Amino acid sequence: MSMRLECIETTSFRRGLGAVLGVLGLASCGVLPVNQGAPVAPVEPAPIHGEPPAAPAPIADPATGIPSGARLFKVGMDTLPGFAEDKLTDAWPGFLRGCERLATQATPAATAWREPCNAARALPVEEAALREFLLRRFDAYAVFTQDSKNEGLLTGYYEPILRASLTRRPPFVVPLYGPPDDLVSREQPATAGNPAARIRGRMVNGQLQPYFTRAELTPAGAPVHASLRGKEIAWVEDPVDAFFLQVQGSGKLLLQDPGPNQGKLVRIGFADMNGHPYKSIGRVLIERGELTRDNATAQSIKQWVRSNPRAGQALINENPSFIFFRLMPGTVDASVGPIGSLNVPLTEKRSVAIDPRFIPLGSLVWMSAMHWGRPINQLALAQDTGSAIKGEVRADYFWGAGDAAGEEAGRTRSVLRLWLIWPK
């Protein structure tokens, strides 16, 4: 993010929020400040032959036809860090799912990928065959910023799993809400220097006004706002977990209702938001001296809120952004990831959210970073986006679902290098 006020903006996993800045105000969908308490290990640079181009590449580079606003510099595929060691078969099912989606689109990226996608479907899913396919059919381009920098930021995100009930009964007393009836959204067309955007609010005397803030919708120590009454779609046990579910923008619910729903796993997805910007509660705690940057983790923030229930609710309400959910139809296959911006399920430890202005959605990328002393040098799938994921050399790494994935996502904050993998 799938997934950014909190995490996303469309119908996919990370879409839902518009921008998830992370609990410390960092540009991440991960809920921890990532790599705090451990130094950010430098990325070992991969070989780069020659110098980057002297002039910025235009949006549609006539030499390559690649729809990218980044400066792209062609390198040898076999010079990519870890190219000979990466287990490409782990990424291939997700890549083929992306191909199926691209086949239905009429974008420049989809057109470029049509032929190699058709060829990929006939390949044996074997390491040697896939590596040879990449070498033969694709070129690698080192991604540079407009000011000739080739290092950026890697963060992480995940899909929470919470115990829940479809009816209110102890201990499931914390509601998750669907969109209120008086929430209005409109598309604002792109203008010079400003991309298209969706504006949200409510109508007052025929005028669109800002929608209610989180504090107005769920005031501390007072009943919820009338707009939310009757909009409950599920109940969870913990208000802190409910808040962090909003930060991620999507998740899974393990139902505890008596009867046929007992133990059923369902997905809850982004439906809408109130349109207010995300404010980091972790940053607030640091500014107040309650936590330090070194010890402000998701766990420490949750512990502070739980240890200070009244002040904790007031703290949560300092974030004016509020996310509304919808229950997704059908029973969830626990092995299938949430839907990303490409409208295909995300692949654990392979899908990334990127800025589509620079990395075309649906393409392949090669990424190189260090994660707590371990290298991440691998093929990745550009299948998601997020409002906080901005810039040429920028990616948010999908770790999977559940607490273990959440731990890894929260620890992910490191120097990143990216290569765009594009058909010849």
Side-chain angles (χ1 to χ4, degrees):
M1 31 128 345
S2 75
M3 158 91 196
R4 105 167 91 25
L5 47 6
E6 313 253 51
C7 237
I8 36 242
E9 174 67 52
T10 82
T11 60
S12 69
F13 176 51
R14 306 177 59 81
R15 270 91 328 235
L17 325 165
V20 134
L21 305 180
V23 295
L24 294 183
L26 303 170
S28 166
C29 239
V31 294
L32 306 186
V34 297
N35 267 7
Q36 298 304 314
V40 176
V43 175
E44 180 65 26
I48 295 292
H49 304 290
E51 295 297 327
I59 293 300
D61 185 344
T64 64
I66 300 173
S68 170
R71 301 180 68 184
L72 304 176
F73 185 58
K74 189 175 179 180
V75 302
M77 183 80 72
D78 57 0
T79 69
L80 301 177
F83 181 78
E85 294 78 34
D86 186 30
K87 191 176 179 182
L88 300 176
T89 52
D90 288 348
W92 219 248
F95 169 56
L96 294 179
R97 285 193 292 268
C99 281
E100 294 297 327
R101 180 60 181 171
L102 288 174
T104 69
Q105 300 180 348
T107 64
T111 300
W113 283 89
R114 187 163 294 121
E115 183 179 345
C117 277
N118 288 337
R121 296 185 185 96
L123 285 176
V125 185
E126 301 170 352
E127 293 297 331
L130 302 186
R131 215 170 307 277
E132 190 276 335
F133 178 70
L134 289 180
L135 288 167
R136 177 168 48 89
R137 300 296 298 264
F138 298 88
D139 287 322
Y141 297 86
V143 181
F144 286 80
T145 64
Q146 292 299 316
D147 55 356
S148 299
K149 296 178 181 178
N150 64 346
E151 291 186 343
L153 175 66
L154 178 70
T155 51
Y157 68 115
Y158 78 111
E159 186 178 31
I161 301 177
L162 302 180
R163 284 166 30 100
S165 173
L166 298 180
T167 58
R168 187 186 188 281
R169 57 188 185 81
F172 305 102
V173 296
V174 180
L176 303 175
Y177 295 101
D181 295 334
D182 57 350
L183 177 65
V184 176
S185 64
R186 292 179 177 174
E187 290 292 340
Q188 177 174 278
T191 59
N194 296 303
R198 181 176 292 275
I199 299 176
R200 295 166 171 88
R202 59 192 179 97
M203 300 304 298
V204 179
N205 297 325
Q207 299 294 319
L208 186 65
Q209 300 294 326
Y211 199 71
F212 302 110
T213 65
R214 177 184 296 272
E216 291 171 322
L217 291 170
T218 56
V224 300
H225 194 278
S227 295
L228 293 184
R229 294 170 194 163
K231 295 302 177 181
E232 302 88 348
I233 60 173
W235 283 259
V236 295
E237 299 171 274
D238 184 356
V240 182
D241 286 339
F243 173 78
F244 276 84
L245 179 65
Q246 291 198 15
V247 170
Q248 290 300 313
S250 178
K252 294 173 182 170
L253 302 181
L254 183 60
L255 298 183
Q256 305 299 308
D257 302 81
N261 283 331
Q262 176 69 40
K264 183 178 179 181
L265 194 64
V266 299
R267 181 163 277 132
I268 188 167
F270 170 84
D272 216 325
M273 62 179 296
N274 65 348
H276 288 273
Y278 177 82
K279 181 178 181 180
S280 161
I281 64 171
R283 184 178 295 276
V284 172
L285 288 176
I286 292 172
E287 292 173 348
R288 293 177 179 173
E290 299 287 352
L291 297 175
T292 68
R293 186 173 178 84
D294 287 340
N295 66 15
T297 65
Q299 288 80 0
S300 65
I301 294 169
K302 290 179 179 180
Q303 182 58 44
W304 191 94
V305 174
R306 288 169 178 148
S307 299
N308 302 273
R310 185 178 297 274
Q313 180 61 52
L315 172 69
I316 287 175
N317 280 348
E318 292 208 29
N319 170 24
S321 177
F322 197 94
I323 305 307
F324 307 108
F325 295 104
R326 63 190 178 104
L327 289 172
M328 312 297 281
T331 302
V332 173
D333 181 343
S335 66
V336 176
I339 303 299
S341 296
L342 189 62
N343 203 27
V344 298
L346 301 180
T347 300
E348 178 179 318
K349 300 179 185 178
R350 289 290 174 171
S351 293
V352 293
I354 45 74
D355 187 337
R357 296 175 300 171
F358 308 110
I359 304 295
L361 190 63
S363 60
L364 296 175
V365 295
W366 198 273
M367 54 182 287
S368 180
M370 293 292 291
H371 178 65
W372 282 54
R374 307 194 309 272
I376 301 179
N377 296 318
Q378 64 172 64
L379 186 69
L381 314 170
Q383 296 180 334
D384 209 358
T385 61
S387 300
I389 308 306
K390 299 299 183 185
E392 295 93 326
V393 190
R394 179 71 174 95
D396 213 11
Y397 187 73
F398 178 63
W399 282 96
D403 293 343
E407 290 286 341
E408 295 290 3
R411 288 155 48 105
T412 307
R413 183 175 177 81
S414 63
V415 177
L416 170 71
R417 295 186 70 181
L418 277 181
W419 292 261
L420 176 62
I421 309 300
W422 196 258
K424 290 183 177 180

